[in-house]
Amino acid sequence: MSEVKPKLVMLFKATKEKEEDKFAKELKNNGFEAVSIPVLSFTFVNHDQLKTHLQNLADFSAIILTSPRAVEAVVKASEGLADKGKKFSGMKCYVVGKATGVLAKKAGFTTTGEESGNATELAKLISADPPQDGKPFLYPCADIRRDALVQHLKEKELAVEEITAYETKPNEALESSVKGVLDQQGLPEFAVFFSPSGVQYTEPLVKKGLLPLDKIKVIALGPATKLEVEARGVTLHGVTAKPEPASLVTLLKQENVEEKKD
């Protein structure tokens, strides 16, 4: 097995071919070497149903978007929609994280909640000052979405209209991508998981011995991913305060400082 390469960071995340990886850029600017592993693949579903909901946005109190992929699903479903700009700009839009917020604003929404960090915190923000029109929230989400947000809102007697807008599957190139990085660059000092599904889909590689997480510092983006890592008996070295590049860099720098002290 290869030696651990200091400051090499393996990012297990969804990637888009034509989009700059802001996490990799921020890490590079701070002295780390980052390599993104495309752990997930996506298929958009229920296009017509989502389009119908978007045509009738006035039936909803607000729209909830908890991932960039959810925004992408909405944008695809809204193609050719009459008065789209007016409909979107007039609809309250709750989002998780800056990346989702940027895309939602680009699509025409006025957003709230970028600083919430995760779906649970967003749900608390919504329920603390909910719209008073009594209409349901529209929530386009993944097939593997977590229950926390919907459960919290329903406990507060707030109605939610969920629609599965995309399905998440393992990337077929996951194993070859990991093997290629390990062969060419050695073991990373850090492995960063961006989602619970990313943890699930890499587990077969861990069981095969291809990805020895016991020799790597494992980092989770957010509480849901943290729980998934811990459920598999993997030692967790840290959780980012927010799902953002700066927060990840801050955490990795702290890890390095602590190691030097030891």
Side-chain angles (χ1 to χ4, degrees), residues 22-88:
K22 294 179 180 178
F23 281 87
K25 181 180 179 181
E26 185 76 9
L27 287 166
K28 183 179 179 181
N29 289 343
N30 284 274
F32 293 90
E33 182 181 356
V35 57
S36 293
I37 302 295
V39 67
L40 309 176
S41 64
F42 301 95
T43 303
F44 294 103
V45 296
N46 297 323
H47 176 92
D48 292 340
Q49 185 182 355
L50 180 56
K51 186 166 188 173
T52 298
H53 285 323
L54 295 174
Q55 286 173 329
N56 299 286
L57 270 181
D59 294 341
F60 299 97
S61 179
I63 187 169
I64 300 173
L65 301 169
T66 56
S67 72
R69 211 64 56 175
V71 181
E72 190 175 347
V74 167
V75 170
K76 285 181 177 294
S78 66
E79 290 176 358
L81 206 64
D83 297 325
K84 178 174 69 174
K86 185 177 179 181
K87 283 186 170 76
F88 285 7

Short mmCIF file of all heavy atoms in Angstrom, two decimals, residues 22-88:
data_model
loop_
_atom_site.label_atom_id
_atom_site.label_comp_id
_atom_site.label_asym_id
_atom_site.label_seq_id
_atom_site.Cartn_x
_atom_site.Cartn_y
_atom_site.Cartn_z
N LYS A 22 -15.08 24.72 -6.85
CA LYS A 22 -14.71 25.78 -5.92
C LYS A 22 -13.98 25.23 -4.70
O LYS A 22 -13.12 25.91 -4.12
CB LYS A 22 -15.95 26.56 -5.50
CG LYS A 22 -16.59 27.33 -6.65
CD LYS A 22 -17.84 28.08 -6.20
CE LYS A 22 -18.45 28.83 -7.38
NZ LYS A 22 -19.69 29.54 -6.99
N PHE A 23 -14.30 24.01 -4.31
CA PHE A 23 -13.61 23.40 -3.16
C PHE A 23 -12.15 23.12 -3.52
O PHE A 23 -11.24 23.43 -2.75
CB PHE A 23 -14.31 22.11 -2.74
CG PHE A 23 -15.54 22.33 -1.92
CD1 PHE A 23 -16.77 22.53 -2.53
CD2 PHE A 23 -15.49 22.37 -0.53
CE1 PHE A 23 -17.92 22.75 -1.79
CE2 PHE A 23 -16.62 22.59 0.23
CZ PHE A 23 -17.85 22.78 -0.40
N ALA A 24 -11.92 22.55 -4.70
CA ALA A 24 -10.56 22.25 -5.12
C ALA A 24 -9.75 23.54 -5.27
O ALA A 24 -8.57 23.59 -4.89
CB ALA A 24 -10.58 21.49 -6.45
N LYS A 25 -10.36 24.58 -5.78
CA LYS A 25 -9.68 25.87 -5.97
C LYS A 25 -9.27 26.46 -4.62
O LYS A 25 -8.14 26.92 -4.44
CB LYS A 25 -10.58 26.84 -6.72
CG LYS A 25 -9.95 28.20 -6.97
CD LYS A 25 -10.90 29.11 -7.73
CE LYS A 25 -10.27 30.48 -7.96
NZ LYS A 25 -11.21 31.40 -8.68
N GLU A 26 -10.20 26.45 -3.66
CA GLU A 26 -9.92 27.02 -2.34
C GLU A 26 -8.83 26.23 -1.62
O GLU A 26 -7.95 26.81 -0.96
CB GLU A 26 -11.20 27.02 -1.50
CG GLU A 26 -11.07 27.70 -0.15
CD GLU A 26 -11.07 29.21 -0.24
OE1 GLU A 26 -11.34 29.76 -1.33
OE2 GLU A 26 -10.79 29.85 0.79
N LEU A 27 -8.86 24.91 -1.76
CA LEU A 27 -7.83 24.08 -1.14
C LEU A 27 -6.46 24.37 -1.75
O LEU A 27 -5.46 24.51 -1.04
CB LEU A 27 -8.18 22.60 -1.32
CG LEU A 27 -9.33 22.09 -0.44
CD1 LEU A 27 -9.82 20.74 -0.94
CD2 LEU A 27 -8.91 22.00 1.02
N LYS A 28 -6.41 24.48 -3.07
CA LYS A 28 -5.15 24.76 -3.76
C LYS A 28 -4.58 26.12 -3.33
O LYS A 28 -3.37 26.25 -3.10
CB LYS A 28 -5.37 24.76 -5.28
CG LYS A 28 -4.10 24.98 -6.08
CD LYS A 28 -4.38 24.94 -7.58
CE LYS A 28 -3.11 25.18 -8.38
NZ LYS A 28 -3.37 25.15 -9.86
N ASN A 29 -5.47 27.10 -3.17
CA ASN A 29 -5.03 28.44 -2.76
C ASN A 29 -4.48 28.46 -1.34
O ASN A 29 -3.84 29.42 -0.92
CB ASN A 29 -6.20 29.43 -2.87
CG ASN A 29 -6.57 29.74 -4.31
OD1 ASN A 29 -5.79 29.49 -5.23
ND2 ASN A 29 -7.77 30.25 -4.51
N ASN A 30 -4.76 27.40 -0.59
CA ASN A 30 -4.31 27.33 0.80
C ASN A 30 -3.28 26.22 1.04
O ASN A 30 -3.10 25.76 2.16
CB ASN A 30 -5.52 27.14 1.73
CG ASN A 30 -6.31 28.40 1.92
OD1 ASN A 30 -6.01 29.22 2.78
ND2 ASN A 30 -7.34 28.58 1.09
N GLY A 31 -2.62 25.82 -0.03
CA GLY A 31 -1.49 24.90 0.11
C GLY A 31 -1.82 23.43 0.11
O GLY A 31 -0.94 22.59 0.35
N PHE A 32 -3.07 23.06 -0.20
CA PHE A 32 -3.45 21.66 -0.27
C PHE A 32 -3.51 21.22 -1.74
O PHE A 32 -3.65 22.04 -2.65
CB PHE A 32 -4.82 21.43 0.37
CG PHE A 32 -4.84 21.65 1.86
CD1 PHE A 32 -5.11 22.91 2.39
CD2 PHE A 32 -4.57 20.60 2.74
CE1 PHE A 32 -5.13 23.12 3.77
CE2 PHE A 32 -4.59 20.80 4.12
CZ PHE A 32 -4.86 22.06 4.62
N GLU A 33 -3.44 19.93 -1.94
CA GLU A 33 -3.61 19.36 -3.28
C GLU A 33 -4.91 18.56 -3.26
O GLU A 33 -5.07 17.65 -2.45
CB GLU A 33 -2.44 18.45 -3.63
CG GLU A 33 -2.53 17.85 -5.02
CD GLU A 33 -1.36 16.93 -5.34
OE1 GLU A 33 -0.45 16.82 -4.49
OE2 GLU A 33 -1.37 16.32 -6.42
N ALA A 34 -5.85 18.95 -4.12
CA ALA A 34 -7.17 18.32 -4.08
C ALA A 34 -7.46 17.56 -5.37
O ALA A 34 -7.08 17.99 -6.46
CB ALA A 34 -8.24 19.38 -3.87
N VAL A 35 -8.13 16.43 -5.21
CA VAL A 35 -8.59 15.67 -6.36
C VAL A 35 -10.04 15.28 -6.11
O VAL A 35 -10.39 14.75 -5.06
CB VAL A 35 -7.71 14.42 -6.62
CG1 VAL A 35 -7.67 13.51 -5.40
CG2 VAL A 35 -8.21 13.65 -7.84
N SER A 36 -10.91 15.60 -7.06
CA SER A 36 -12.33 15.30 -6.92
C SER A 36 -12.65 13.92 -7.50
O SER A 36 -12.25 13.60 -8.61
CB SER A 36 -13.18 16.36 -7.63
OG SER A 36 -13.07 17.61 -6.98
N ILE A 37 -13.37 13.14 -6.73
CA ILE A 37 -13.81 11.82 -7.15
C ILE A 37 -15.31 11.89 -7.43
O ILE A 37 -16.10 12.16 -6.53
CB ILE A 37 -13.54 10.76 -6.06
CG1 ILE A 37 -12.06 10.71 -5.70
CG2 ILE A 37 -14.04 9.39 -6.51
CD1 ILE A 37 -11.15 10.25 -6.82
N PRO A 38 -15.73 11.67 -8.68
CA PRO A 38 -17.17 11.74 -9.01
C PRO A 38 -17.92 10.54 -8.46
O PRO A 38 -18.06 9.52 -9.12
CB PRO A 38 -17.15 11.76 -10.54
CG PRO A 38 -15.91 11.01 -10.92
CD PRO A 38 -14.90 11.33 -9.84
N VAL A 39 -18.39 10.67 -7.23
CA VAL A 39 -18.96 9.53 -6.53
C VAL A 39 -20.43 9.28 -6.91
O VAL A 39 -20.93 8.16 -6.77
CB VAL A 39 -18.82 9.72 -5.00
CG1 VAL A 39 -19.68 10.86 -4.50
CG2 VAL A 39 -19.11 8.45 -4.25
N LEU A 40 -21.12 10.30 -7.41
CA LEU A 40 -22.54 10.18 -7.70
C LEU A 40 -22.86 10.44 -9.17
O LEU A 40 -22.14 11.16 -9.85
CB LEU A 40 -23.35 11.18 -6.86
CG LEU A 40 -23.09 11.22 -5.35
CD1 LEU A 40 -23.90 12.34 -4.73
CD2 LEU A 40 -23.45 9.89 -4.72
N SER A 41 -23.94 9.86 -9.63
CA SER A 41 -24.52 10.21 -10.92
C SER A 41 -26.00 10.47 -10.70
O SER A 41 -26.60 9.94 -9.76
CB SER A 41 -24.30 9.10 -11.95
OG SER A 41 -25.00 7.93 -11.57
N PHE A 42 -26.60 11.30 -11.55
CA PHE A 42 -27.97 11.72 -11.33
C PHE A 42 -28.83 11.51 -12.56
O PHE A 42 -28.37 11.66 -13.70
CB PHE A 42 -28.02 13.20 -10.95
CG PHE A 42 -27.24 13.54 -9.70
CD1 PHE A 42 -25.94 13.99 -9.79
CD2 PHE A 42 -27.82 13.39 -8.46
CE1 PHE A 42 -25.22 14.31 -8.65
CE2 PHE A 42 -27.11 13.69 -7.31
CZ PHE A 42 -25.81 14.15 -7.41
N THR A 43 -30.09 11.20 -12.33
CA THR A 43 -31.08 11.11 -13.40
C THR A 43 -32.29 11.93 -12.98
O THR A 43 -32.83 11.74 -11.89
CB THR A 43 -31.53 9.65 -13.62
OG1 THR A 43 -30.38 8.85 -13.93
CG2 THR A 43 -32.51 9.58 -14.78
N PHE A 44 -32.69 12.87 -13.83
CA PHE A 44 -33.86 13.70 -13.51
C PHE A 44 -35.14 12.94 -13.85
O PHE A 44 -35.24 12.30 -14.90
CB PHE A 44 -33.78 15.02 -14.27
CG PHE A 44 -32.64 15.89 -13.83
CD1 PHE A 44 -31.48 15.97 -14.59
CD2 PHE A 44 -32.70 16.58 -12.63
CE1 PHE A 44 -30.40 16.75 -14.17
CE2 PHE A 44 -31.63 17.36 -12.20
CZ PHE A 44 -30.49 17.44 -12.97
N VAL A 45 -36.09 13.00 -12.93
CA VAL A 45 -37.34 12.24 -13.09
C VAL A 45 -38.55 13.15 -12.78
O VAL A 45 -38.39 14.25 -12.27
CB VAL A 45 -37.37 11.01 -12.15
CG1 VAL A 45 -36.27 10.03 -12.52
CG2 VAL A 45 -37.23 11.43 -10.68
N ASN A 46 -39.73 12.64 -13.11
CA ASN A 46 -41.00 13.34 -12.84
C ASN A 46 -41.01 14.76 -13.42
O ASN A 46 -41.54 15.69 -12.80
CB ASN A 46 -41.27 13.39 -11.33
CG ASN A 46 -41.45 12.00 -10.74
OD1 ASN A 46 -42.04 11.12 -11.38
ND2 ASN A 46 -40.96 11.78 -9.54
N HIS A 47 -40.43 14.89 -14.60
CA HIS A 47 -40.30 16.19 -15.26
C HIS A 47 -41.66 16.87 -15.45
O HIS A 47 -41.83 18.04 -15.11
CB HIS A 47 -39.61 15.98 -16.62
CG HIS A 47 -39.49 17.22 -17.45
ND1 HIS A 47 -38.39 18.04 -17.41
CD2 HIS A 47 -40.35 17.79 -18.34
CE1 HIS A 47 -38.57 19.06 -18.24
NE2 HIS A 47 -39.74 18.92 -18.81
N ASP A 48 -42.62 16.13 -16.01
CA ASP A 48 -43.93 16.73 -16.32
C ASP A 48 -44.68 17.14 -15.06
O ASP A 48 -45.33 18.19 -15.02
CB ASP A 48 -44.78 15.75 -17.14
CG ASP A 48 -44.22 15.53 -18.54
OD1 ASP A 48 -43.44 16.39 -19.00
OD2 ASP A 48 -44.55 14.50 -19.16
N GLN A 49 -44.58 16.32 -14.02
CA GLN A 49 -45.26 16.64 -12.76
C GLN A 49 -44.67 17.90 -12.13
O GLN A 49 -45.40 18.77 -11.65
CB GLN A 49 -45.14 15.47 -11.79
CG GLN A 49 -45.91 15.66 -10.50
CD GLN A 49 -45.74 14.51 -9.52
OE1 GLN A 49 -45.11 13.50 -9.85
NE2 GLN A 49 -46.27 14.67 -8.33
N LEU A 50 -43.34 17.99 -12.16
CA LEU A 50 -42.68 19.17 -11.61
C LEU A 50 -43.04 20.41 -12.43
O LEU A 50 -43.30 21.48 -11.87
CB LEU A 50 -41.16 18.98 -11.58
CG LEU A 50 -40.34 20.14 -11.04
CD1 LEU A 50 -40.79 20.54 -9.64
CD2 LEU A 50 -38.85 19.79 -11.03
N LYS A 51 -43.10 20.26 -13.74
CA LYS A 51 -43.45 21.38 -14.61
C LYS A 51 -44.86 21.89 -14.30
O LYS A 51 -45.11 23.10 -14.25
CB LYS A 51 -43.36 20.98 -16.07
CG LYS A 51 -43.57 22.14 -17.05
CD LYS A 51 -43.15 21.77 -18.45
CE LYS A 51 -43.19 22.99 -19.35
NZ LYS A 51 -42.63 22.71 -20.69
N THR A 52 -45.78 20.95 -14.05
CA THR A 52 -47.15 21.34 -13.71
C THR A 52 -47.17 22.15 -12.41
O THR A 52 -47.87 23.17 -12.30
CB THR A 52 -48.04 20.09 -13.55
OG1 THR A 52 -48.10 19.41 -14.80
CG2 THR A 52 -49.46 20.48 -13.12
N HIS A 53 -46.41 21.71 -11.43
CA HIS A 53 -46.33 22.45 -10.16
C HIS A 53 -45.75 23.85 -10.38
O HIS A 53 -46.22 24.83 -9.78
CB HIS A 53 -45.46 21.70 -9.16
CG HIS A 53 -46.13 20.50 -8.55
ND1 HIS A 53 -47.46 20.47 -8.23
CD2 HIS A 53 -45.64 19.29 -8.19
CE1 HIS A 53 -47.77 19.30 -7.70
NE2 HIS A 53 -46.67 18.56 -7.67
N LEU A 54 -44.73 23.93 -11.22
CA LEU A 54 -44.11 25.23 -11.48
C LEU A 54 -45.04 26.16 -12.25
O LEU A 54 -44.99 27.39 -12.09
CB LEU A 54 -42.80 25.03 -12.26
CG LEU A 54 -41.69 24.28 -11.51
CD1 LEU A 54 -40.50 24.00 -12.42
CD2 LEU A 54 -41.23 25.06 -10.27
N GLN A 55 -45.89 25.59 -13.08
CA GLN A 55 -46.89 26.40 -13.78
C GLN A 55 -47.91 26.98 -12.82
O GLN A 55 -48.53 28.00 -13.09
CB GLN A 55 -47.62 25.54 -14.83
CG GLN A 55 -46.78 25.22 -16.06
CD GLN A 55 -47.47 24.25 -16.99
OE1 GLN A 55 -48.23 23.39 -16.54
NE2 GLN A 55 -47.20 24.36 -18.28
N ASN A 56 -48.07 26.29 -11.68
CA ASN A 56 -49.07 26.70 -10.70
C ASN A 56 -48.42 27.08 -9.35
O ASN A 56 -48.90 26.68 -8.29
CB ASN A 56 -50.07 25.56 -10.50
CG ASN A 56 -50.82 25.21 -11.77
OD1 ASN A 56 -51.70 25.95 -12.19
ND2 ASN A 56 -50.47 24.11 -12.38
N LEU A 57 -47.35 27.83 -9.44
CA LEU A 57 -46.62 28.20 -8.23
C LEU A 57 -47.47 28.99 -7.24
O LEU A 57 -47.21 28.96 -6.03
CB LEU A 57 -45.38 29.03 -8.60
CG LEU A 57 -44.08 28.25 -8.86
CD1 LEU A 57 -42.95 29.22 -9.18
CD2 LEU A 57 -43.71 27.36 -7.69
N ALA A 58 -48.50 29.66 -7.74
CA ALA A 58 -49.37 30.44 -6.85
C ALA A 58 -50.11 29.54 -5.86
O ALA A 58 -50.64 30.03 -4.85
CB ALA A 58 -50.37 31.24 -7.67
N ASP A 59 -50.12 28.23 -6.13
CA ASP A 59 -50.78 27.29 -5.22
C ASP A 59 -49.91 26.97 -4.00
O ASP A 59 -50.36 26.29 -3.07
CB ASP A 59 -51.09 25.97 -5.94
CG ASP A 59 -52.14 26.15 -7.03
OD1 ASP A 59 -52.87 27.16 -7.00
OD2 ASP A 59 -52.21 25.27 -7.92
N PHE A 60 -48.66 27.46 -4.03
CA PHE A 60 -47.71 27.13 -2.96
C PHE A 60 -47.29 28.37 -2.18
O PHE A 60 -47.23 29.48 -2.73
CB PHE A 60 -46.49 26.44 -3.54
CG PHE A 60 -46.82 25.14 -4.24
CD1 PHE A 60 -46.99 25.10 -5.61
CD2 PHE A 60 -46.99 23.97 -3.51
CE1 PHE A 60 -47.30 23.92 -6.26
CE2 PHE A 60 -47.31 22.78 -4.14
CZ PHE A 60 -47.47 22.74 -5.52
N SER A 61 -46.96 28.14 -0.93
CA SER A 61 -46.51 29.23 -0.07
C SER A 61 -45.07 29.63 -0.38
O SER A 61 -44.70 30.81 -0.33
CB SER A 61 -46.62 28.80 1.39
OG SER A 61 -46.18 29.80 2.25
N ALA A 62 -44.22 28.63 -0.69
CA ALA A 62 -42.81 28.86 -0.99
C ALA A 62 -42.24 27.59 -1.62
O ALA A 62 -42.88 26.52 -1.59
CB ALA A 62 -42.04 29.20 0.28
N ILE A 63 -41.06 27.71 -2.18
CA ILE A 63 -40.36 26.55 -2.72
C ILE A 63 -39.10 26.32 -1.89
O ILE A 63 -38.45 27.28 -1.47
CB ILE A 63 -40.02 26.72 -4.21
CG1 ILE A 63 -39.43 25.43 -4.80
CG2 ILE A 63 -39.09 27.91 -4.45
CD1 ILE A 63 -39.33 25.44 -6.32
N ILE A 64 -38.80 25.05 -1.63
CA ILE A 64 -37.63 24.69 -0.82
C ILE A 64 -36.64 23.94 -1.71
O ILE A 64 -36.98 22.92 -2.31
CB ILE A 64 -38.03 23.81 0.37
CG1 ILE A 64 -39.02 24.54 1.28
CG2 ILE A 64 -36.79 23.41 1.18
CD1 ILE A 64 -39.60 23.69 2.38
N LEU A 65 -35.40 24.44 -1.77
CA LEU A 65 -34.36 23.83 -2.60
C LEU A 65 -33.15 23.55 -1.73
O LEU A 65 -32.51 24.48 -1.24
CB LEU A 65 -33.99 24.77 -3.76
CG LEU A 65 -35.16 25.14 -4.68
CD1 LEU A 65 -34.77 26.27 -5.62
CD2 LEU A 65 -35.62 23.93 -5.49
N THR A 66 -32.85 22.28 -1.51
CA THR A 66 -31.78 21.94 -0.57
C THR A 66 -30.50 21.45 -1.24
O THR A 66 -29.58 21.00 -0.56
CB THR A 66 -32.27 20.86 0.42
OG1 THR A 66 -32.75 19.72 -0.31
CG2 THR A 66 -33.39 21.41 1.30
N SER A 67 -30.43 21.53 -2.58
CA SER A 67 -29.21 21.11 -3.28
C SER A 67 -29.14 21.78 -4.64
O SER A 67 -30.17 22.13 -5.22
CB SER A 67 -29.19 19.59 -3.46
OG SER A 67 -30.14 19.21 -4.44
N PRO A 68 -27.91 21.96 -5.16
CA PRO A 68 -27.78 22.49 -6.52
C PRO A 68 -28.52 21.65 -7.54
O PRO A 68 -29.07 22.17 -8.52
CB PRO A 68 -26.27 22.45 -6.75
CG PRO A 68 -25.68 22.58 -5.38
CD PRO A 68 -26.61 21.79 -4.50
N ARG A 69 -28.56 20.33 -7.32
CA ARG A 69 -29.23 19.44 -8.27
C ARG A 69 -30.73 19.70 -8.30
O ARG A 69 -31.38 19.57 -9.33
CB ARG A 69 -28.94 17.99 -7.90
CG ARG A 69 -28.89 17.04 -9.06
CD ARG A 69 -27.77 17.33 -10.03
NE ARG A 69 -26.47 17.34 -9.38
CZ ARG A 69 -25.32 17.46 -10.02
NH1 ARG A 69 -25.31 17.63 -11.32
NH2 ARG A 69 -24.19 17.48 -9.36
N ALA A 70 -31.31 20.05 -7.16
CA ALA A 70 -32.73 20.38 -7.12
C ALA A 70 -33.02 21.63 -7.95
O ALA A 70 -34.03 21.70 -8.66
CB ALA A 70 -33.19 20.58 -5.68
N VAL A 71 -32.12 22.62 -7.85
CA VAL A 71 -32.27 23.83 -8.67
C VAL A 71 -32.19 23.47 -10.14
O VAL A 71 -32.99 23.94 -10.96
CB VAL A 71 -31.19 24.87 -8.32
CG1 VAL A 71 -31.39 26.12 -9.17
CG2 VAL A 71 -31.21 25.22 -6.84
N GLU A 72 -31.25 22.62 -10.49
CA GLU A 72 -31.09 22.20 -11.89
C GLU A 72 -32.35 21.51 -12.39
O GLU A 72 -32.77 21.71 -13.54
CB GLU A 72 -29.88 21.26 -12.01
CG GLU A 72 -29.48 20.96 -13.44
CD GLU A 72 -28.21 20.13 -13.53
OE1 GLU A 72 -27.51 19.99 -12.51
OE2 GLU A 72 -27.93 19.62 -14.63
N ALA A 73 -32.96 20.68 -11.55
CA ALA A 73 -34.20 19.99 -11.93
C ALA A 73 -35.31 21.00 -12.21
O ALA A 73 -36.07 20.87 -13.18
CB ALA A 73 -34.62 19.03 -10.83
N VAL A 74 -35.41 22.03 -11.36
CA VAL A 74 -36.42 23.07 -11.54
C VAL A 74 -36.18 23.84 -12.83
O VAL A 74 -37.11 24.13 -13.59
CB VAL A 74 -36.42 24.03 -10.33
CG1 VAL A 74 -37.22 25.29 -10.62
CG2 VAL A 74 -36.99 23.32 -9.11
N VAL A 75 -34.92 24.18 -13.09
CA VAL A 75 -34.58 24.93 -14.31
C VAL A 75 -34.95 24.12 -15.55
O VAL A 75 -35.53 24.65 -16.51
CB VAL A 75 -33.08 25.30 -14.31
CG1 VAL A 75 -32.66 25.84 -15.68
CG2 VAL A 75 -32.78 26.31 -13.22
N LYS A 76 -34.62 22.83 -15.55
CA LYS A 76 -34.94 21.97 -16.69
C LYS A 76 -36.45 21.86 -16.89
O LYS A 76 -36.95 21.92 -18.02
CB LYS A 76 -34.34 20.57 -16.48
CG LYS A 76 -32.83 20.49 -16.68
CD LYS A 76 -32.34 19.07 -16.48
CE LYS A 76 -30.84 18.96 -16.74
NZ LYS A 76 -30.49 19.22 -18.15
N ALA A 77 -37.19 21.70 -15.80
CA ALA A 77 -38.64 21.53 -15.89
C ALA A 77 -39.35 22.82 -16.29
O ALA A 77 -40.48 22.78 -16.79
CB ALA A 77 -39.19 21.02 -14.57
N SER A 78 -38.69 23.95 -16.06
CA SER A 78 -39.34 25.24 -16.32
C SER A 78 -39.06 25.78 -17.72
O SER A 78 -39.54 26.85 -18.07
CB SER A 78 -38.89 26.27 -15.28
OG SER A 78 -37.51 26.56 -15.43
N GLU A 79 -38.31 25.03 -18.52
CA GLU A 79 -37.99 25.49 -19.88
C GLU A 79 -39.28 25.70 -20.68
O GLU A 79 -40.13 24.82 -20.75
CB GLU A 79 -37.07 24.49 -20.58
CG GLU A 79 -35.66 24.46 -19.99
CD GLU A 79 -34.78 23.39 -20.63
OE1 GLU A 79 -35.30 22.66 -21.49
OE2 GLU A 79 -33.60 23.30 -20.26
N GLY A 80 -39.41 26.87 -21.27
CA GLY A 80 -40.59 27.17 -22.07
C GLY A 80 -41.80 27.60 -21.27
O GLY A 80 -42.88 27.81 -21.82
N LEU A 81 -41.65 27.75 -19.97
CA LEU A 81 -42.75 28.14 -19.10
C LEU A 81 -43.09 29.62 -19.29
O LEU A 81 -42.21 30.47 -19.26
CB LEU A 81 -42.36 27.88 -17.64
CG LEU A 81 -43.46 27.62 -16.63
CD1 LEU A 81 -44.20 26.34 -16.95
CD2 LEU A 81 -42.86 27.52 -15.23
N ALA A 82 -44.36 29.91 -19.47
CA ALA A 82 -44.78 31.30 -19.64
C ALA A 82 -44.62 32.08 -18.34
O ALA A 82 -44.91 31.55 -17.26
CB ALA A 82 -46.23 31.34 -20.11
N ASP A 83 -44.16 33.31 -18.45
CA ASP A 83 -44.00 34.19 -17.28
C ASP A 83 -43.12 33.58 -16.20
O ASP A 83 -43.33 33.82 -15.00
CB ASP A 83 -45.37 34.55 -16.67
CG ASP A 83 -46.25 35.33 -17.64
OD1 ASP A 83 -45.70 36.13 -18.41
OD2 ASP A 83 -47.47 35.11 -17.61
N LYS A 84 -42.13 32.80 -16.60
CA LYS A 84 -41.27 32.13 -15.63
C LYS A 84 -40.58 33.14 -14.71
O LYS A 84 -40.54 32.95 -13.49
CB LYS A 84 -40.23 31.27 -16.35
CG LYS A 84 -39.26 30.57 -15.41
CD LYS A 84 -38.34 29.63 -16.14
CE LYS A 84 -37.35 30.36 -17.02
NZ LYS A 84 -36.35 29.46 -17.62
N GLY A 85 -40.01 34.18 -15.28
CA GLY A 85 -39.29 35.16 -14.49
C GLY A 85 -40.17 35.79 -13.43
O GLY A 85 -39.76 35.94 -12.27
N LYS A 86 -41.39 36.14 -13.80
CA LYS A 86 -42.33 36.75 -12.86
C LYS A 86 -42.73 35.77 -11.78
O LYS A 86 -42.80 36.12 -10.59
CB LYS A 86 -43.57 37.23 -13.62
CG LYS A 86 -44.57 38.00 -12.77
CD LYS A 86 -45.73 38.49 -13.61
CE LYS A 86 -46.75 39.24 -12.75
NZ LYS A 86 -47.90 39.71 -13.58
N LYS A 87 -42.99 34.51 -12.18
CA LYS A 87 -43.39 33.48 -11.22
C LYS A 87 -42.28 33.23 -10.19
O LYS A 87 -42.52 33.16 -8.99
CB LYS A 87 -43.71 32.17 -11.94
CG LYS A 87 -45.06 32.11 -12.65
CD LYS A 87 -45.30 30.72 -13.20
CE LYS A 87 -46.74 30.54 -13.70
NZ LYS A 87 -46.95 31.19 -14.98
N PHE A 88 -41.05 33.11 -10.68
CA PHE A 88 -39.93 32.79 -9.80
C PHE A 88 -39.59 33.95 -8.88
O PHE A 88 -39.35 33.77 -7.68
CB PHE A 88 -38.71 32.38 -10.60
CG PHE A 88 -38.78 30.99 -11.19
CD1 PHE A 88 -39.93 30.23 -11.11
CD2 PHE A 88 -37.68 30.43 -11.82
CE1 PHE A 88 -40.01 28.95 -11.64
CE2 PHE A 88 -37.73 29.15 -12.36
CZ PHE A 88 -38.90 28.42 -12.27
#
